[in-house]
Amino acid sequence: MTVFTLPDLGEGLQEAEIVTWHVGEGDHVIADQPLVSVETDKAVVEVPAPYSGTIARLVARVGDVLAVGQPLVDIDTGKAEDSGAIVGRLDADEKPRPVQPVAPPAGGDVIRATPAARKLAREQDIDLSRIEGTGPGGVIQTTDVASAAPRGVAGEGLRGPRRAMAQAMARSHETVVPATIMDKADVTAWDTDENPTLRLISAIVAACAVEPALNVWFDGKNRQLHDHVDLAVAVDSENGLFAPVLRHAENPEGIAERLSALKAAVKNRTLTPEALKGGTVTLSNFGMMGGEHAVLVVSPPQVAIIGAGRIGDAVVWHQGQPQKRRLLPLSLSFDHRVVTGGEAARFLAACRADLERPSIANTET
């Protein structure tokens, strides 16, 4: 018997959450076939079987959070038995038994479930006829029953992206000394089909060139300035908040396509851990959903996040008379441990100046 532990997934990741088992107890696996999918830092990673053998026991269950090095699964690397004979966990004093059909509801089909799955269903008063089995031949396994178990009225723990978000926000609260300044950019000169996100990206790049003190990392002791802009772009999704990184945002070539690809990866849950790391500054364009200004949360080691609110019309004093103008609210939150108020003000002023330019030619819309 060999115990396979959660491997080092790289990029300094220390833990992962079990999302989906691709095998069940009693299954025969071969080396490198998909074993389990885990989620770490908002990205889903598929872990392959390290060697061939028979799954003796799934140590971790869906929803468990494991540290690197903790047991995942017991694999019997001896001669594999008939994988169709036994599926499911056995009690210490229980002899192997074949999967047996459960008596179907009147007029229904035969329900196939493992002994352990039937036992768990009885304990939790779960109707097996309402569960779709994921085991060989559609056999219901313990993981299927566990996924169907009621959560109860007391609530449930945060999982996946929401757990990662909670941890990131807690880290920020513990370390960053936040401050926020706000302004509005007059975007009346924009064409009606101007892409606000692309304009914001251009403005942030311009502001980083004017005031590079906000395009840095700070670890509490050392400040690292960057000569490029790797822009983390906040993307809202039904699974939670993601901030994939648009590499070298200062390079306009193909930027619309690159941004679209990142958003599609968020939607399809195909982001890699690397796609979420290394941002030097963050953009949150929340105005497309609502809101004017915001006090945003800085994600260390970054020191700044720029928020864009809802564009709207307002009557303002312009060129000696009141006029209706189009205004874009801007919010800049920064880590006051390393960024001065003057540096933040110059950065926001440069961002505003770039946004107030007439429409720019965008062949990549």
Side-chain angles (χ1 to χ4, degrees), residues 65 286 306:
V65 178
F286 59 85
I306 301 91

Side-chain angles (χ1 to χ4, degrees), residues 127-157:
D127 183 359
L128 287 175
S129 67
R130 299 180 179 276
I131 299 177
E132 181 177 351
T134 60
V139 171
I140 298 172
Q141 306 175 101
T142 53
T143 52
D144 301 321
V145 178
S147 298
R151 302 294 186 186
V153 297
E156 60 182 3

Side-chain angles (χ1 to χ4, degrees), residues 34 52 62-63 82 90 157 177 199 239 243 254 292 322 329 338 348 359 364:
S52 300
V62 172
D82 181 3
L90 301 178
V177 178
R199 284 302 303 262
N239 296 305
E292 187 170 291
V338 63
L348 190 59
S359 290
E364 311 164 295

Side-chain angles (χ1 to χ4, degrees), residues 46 67 73-74 92 96 99 120-121 126 149 154 173 177 188 197 201 220 250 271 277:
E46 195 172 79
V73 60
D74 292 340
V99 173
L120 182 61
I126 295 175
H173 179 72
V177 178
T188 309
T197 301
I201 293 171
E250 73 278 4
L271 282 173
K277 296 182 179 297

Side-chain angles (χ1 to χ4, degrees), residues 185 187-188 292 309-315 324-329:
V187 297
T188 309
E292 187 170 291
R310 181 184 63 251
I311 299 175
D313 294 333
V315 176
K324 186 177 79 169
R325 310 291 293 179
R326 295 278 287 167
L327 301 181
L328 168 58

Side-chain angles (χ1 to χ4, degrees), residues 10 222 268:
N222 300 306
N268 299 327

Side-chain angles (χ1 to χ4, degrees), residues 84-106:
I86 301 296
V87 182
R89 183 185 305 226
L90 301 178
D91 294 332
D93 58 350
E94 189 177 24
K95 295 181 179 180
R97 293 176 294 169
V99 173
Q100 298 176 359
V102 175

